[in-house]
Amino acid sequence: ANNRLEKDGIEFMKSNTTGYFSVDNRERKYILDLVGQPHKYARAFDMIYIPRFEGTTVTQDAIDTHIDEITLIELKVTRKFLPENPKGFFFGATENEFNFGKLLGSKFRFCFVSLNEKGSSYSLQTLEELEARIKYRRIQFQINL
């Protein structure tokens, strides 16, 4: 279900806003190489935002050309109606995502997408903006046996 939700969120961003592109694992690693970050962060972002890029698909050439303007986007998606998005958003995040946000600063955003029949919306937050909004945070262990 989560994968479907994320795909819907990606489609929402691509169809409602210009300059947002999903990137596959190979493209994520390529971008990480260009910004001088290790591949361990390949799962810490889902999309990229390239302002002033008119293309419908992102190419390696577009990435090379616009690397200095690219913002890396980590998507969090809910079906909950959030008229004041991101207020009321409940989500899970990895330590990796927070560390990556610290490393990249303004070149990284969390994107909170609310997909609801009463009204869908999105909210972009830098790590700094997000930290200022966080009400409660708890550590949860993810365990595979």
Side-chain angles (χ1 to χ4, degrees):
N2 251 357
N3 221 353
R4 173 77 257 153
L5 189 58
E6 187 176 280
K7 279 186 175 58
D8 291 347
I10 288 169
E11 285 315 308
F12 175 80
M13 290 307 293
K14 283 164 55 173
S15 59
N16 289 284
T17 51
T18 310
Y20 285 84
F21 302 93
S22 52
V23 280
D24 63 25
N25 205 38
R26 189 185 51 79
E27 291 162 330
R28 286 196 295 265
K29 286 177 178 171
Y30 183 72
I31 290 164
L32 287 169
D33 289 340
L34 292 180
V35 299
Q37 295 296 335
H39 288 185
K40 73 175 183 178
Y41 294 118
R43 307 226 31 85
F45 65 104
D46 306 299
M47 300 187 83
I48 59 173
Y49 171 64
I50 312 175
R52 300 178 298 115
F53 179 65
E54 298 301 319
T56 49
T57 55
V58 75
T59 59
Q60 194 166 311
D61 189 45
I63 291 168
D64 288 337
T65 304
H66 297 277
I67 192 61
D68 294 337
E69 308 162 40
I70 290 176
T71 302
L72 308 185
I73 308 288
E74 172 57 24
L75 224 59
K76 301 296 179 188
V77 190
T78 185
R79 296 221 185 270
K80 190 174 170 186
F81 179 55
L82 297 175
E84 297 176 62
N85 189 0
K87 191 176 177 195
F89 212 108
F90 175 80
F91 67 100
T94 64
E95 190 177 15
N96 226 16
E97 290 165 0
F98 275 85
N99 290 343
F100 192 51
K102 279 189 194 103
L103 285 169
L104 286 191
S106 64
K107 306 293 287 165
F108 178 85
R109 296 279 191 293
F110 284 97
C111 180
F112 297 95
V113 179
S114 163
L115 300 175
N116 188 283
E117 61 279 356
K118 288 189 216 157
S120 296
S121 62
Y122 73 95
S123 172
L124 291 165
Q125 304 281 314
T126 62
L127 180 59
E128 197 176 6
E129 291 165 334
L130 181 61
E131 294 275 12
R133 288 177 167 271
I134 292 174
K135 287 190 180 115
Y136 305 104
R137 180 195 316 227
R138 67 186 162 91
I139 303 292
Q140 179 179 334
F141 295 96
Q142 300 285 332
I143 299 165
N144 288 330
L145 298 177

